[in-house]
Amino acid sequence: MLSSPRTADTGARRRIPVAVQASDPISREGAVGQLRGRPEVEVRDELSSAAGTVALLVEDTLDEAALARLRRVVRSEGARAVLVVGTIRETELLDVIECGVGAIVWRREATAHRLVQAVVAAQRGDGDLPADLLGRLISQVGTLHRGAAGRPGAPSLGLAPREVDVLRLVAEGLDTGEIASKLSYSERTVKNVMHGLTTRLHLRNRAHAVAYALREGYI
């Protein structure tokens, strides 16, 4: 049975617009080739200001120019961002998260499936970090927290116990449905908790929220 035009049109509108940016044409064409034809995404030639647009940035290493591109895409152009990168140094990881990048994919793992998975997570505002990077992030933020522990008077807006519970599970890599099941909440409640704390604390996404909670010693 053929789908009605209205049904087909609705499905088309649900595809996530993705603009691929890279420092060299080979990397860009490689990423575009991986995404082209996938039903979940629609590859665009240029970054759009439309809600839900995801920028996929391909870098080999991160220098100041690459970090500047990340900041421009997220802060100035308002896009969700996925970073595909070869290596990240310890000193760069927190900078990337605080730029507003919530999804990171290693270049060596950048299959079509993995790229789409990261794009979907970014579009939803979820975090998607490789397990080894999450461990490095926890270690780095823990070091920063211990270094600041003896300094009195540092302002903290605080997290409610429910927010801490949710962020702890986010840090363990659970998605919204899994967090809701673990805590016996509805998915809407989990989303509201995340939206409330990210708005109140001016955090850009889940990964940034986890970094904040770690830095402040909540998890």
Side-chain angles (χ1 to χ4, degrees), residues 163-202:
E163 293 173 334
V164 175
D165 289 340
V166 170
L167 283 175
R168 186 175 291 115
L169 295 177
V170 171
E172 292 176 7
L174 276 65
D175 62 24
T176 300
E178 292 168 331
I179 293 170
S181 177
K182 282 269 190 183
L183 298 178
S184 298
Y185 294 160
S186 68
E187 291 192 23
R188 180 179 293 275
T189 296
V190 174
K191 291 177 181 177
N192 287 343
V193 169
M194 287 302 306
H195 177 73
L197 74 91
T198 53
T199 301
R200 187 178 79 253
L201 301 176
H202 306 290

Side-chain angles (χ1 to χ4, degrees), residues 57 88 129 190 210:
L57 297 100
I88 294 181
L129 302 183
V190 174
V210 168

Side-chain angles (χ1 to χ4, degrees), residues 5-17 40 42 44 51:
R6 183 174 181 178
T7 301
D9 184 56
T10 300
R13 286 201 303 269
R14 290 179 178 171
R15 298 175 71 190
I16 302 170
E40 304 93 336
E42 178 185 350
R44 302 278 182 85

Side-chain angles (χ1 to χ4, degrees), residues 37-197:
R38 293 293 302 229
E40 304 93 336
V41 302
E42 178 185 350
V43 179
R44 302 278 182 85
D45 290 334
E46 295 183 358
L47 189 59
S48 166
S49 59
T53 298
V54 174
L56 190 144
L57 297 100
V58 184
E59 305 285 351
D60 187 29
T61 58
L62 288 174
D63 53 17
E64 284 302 318
L67 286 171
R69 284 193 290 273
L70 286 174
R71 294 187 185 99
R72 184 184 68 250
V73 164
V74 177
R75 297 179 183 178
S76 301
E77 302 183 26
R80 306 281 190 177
V82 174
L83 174 64
V84 181
V85 68
T87 60
I88 294 181
R89 291 177 297 185
E90 297 290 337
T91 55
E92 297 163 340
L93 181 54
L94 197 57
D95 285 339
V96 169
I97 297 300
E98 293 187 337
C99 276
V101 177
I104 300 174
V105 178
W106 292 124
R107 286 182 70 127
R108 62 182 177 271
E109 299 175 354
T111 62
H113 172 76
R114 184 69 187 89
L115 290 178
V116 170
Q117 184 181 52
V119 165
V120 170
Q123 195 270 340
R124 290 176 177 169
D126 294 346
D128 187 353
L129 302 183
D132 56 333
L133 271 188
L134 183 58
R136 286 163 59 185
L137 177 63
I138 290 172
S139 176
Q140 183 181 1
V141 176
T143 300
L144 291 173
H145 175 67
R146 288 191 296 274
R151 297 203 299 266
S156 176
L157 298 178
L159 293 175
R162 183 165 69 169
E163 293 173 334
V164 175
D165 289 340
V166 170
L167 283 175
R168 186 175 291 115
L169 295 177
V170 171
E172 292 176 7
L174 276 65
D175 62 24
T176 300
E178 292 168 331
I179 293 170
S181 177
K182 282 269 190 183
L183 298 178
S184 298
Y185 294 160
S186 68
E187 291 192 23
R188 180 179 293 275
T189 296
V190 174
K191 291 177 181 177
N192 287 343
V193 169
M194 287 302 306
H195 177 73
L197 74 91

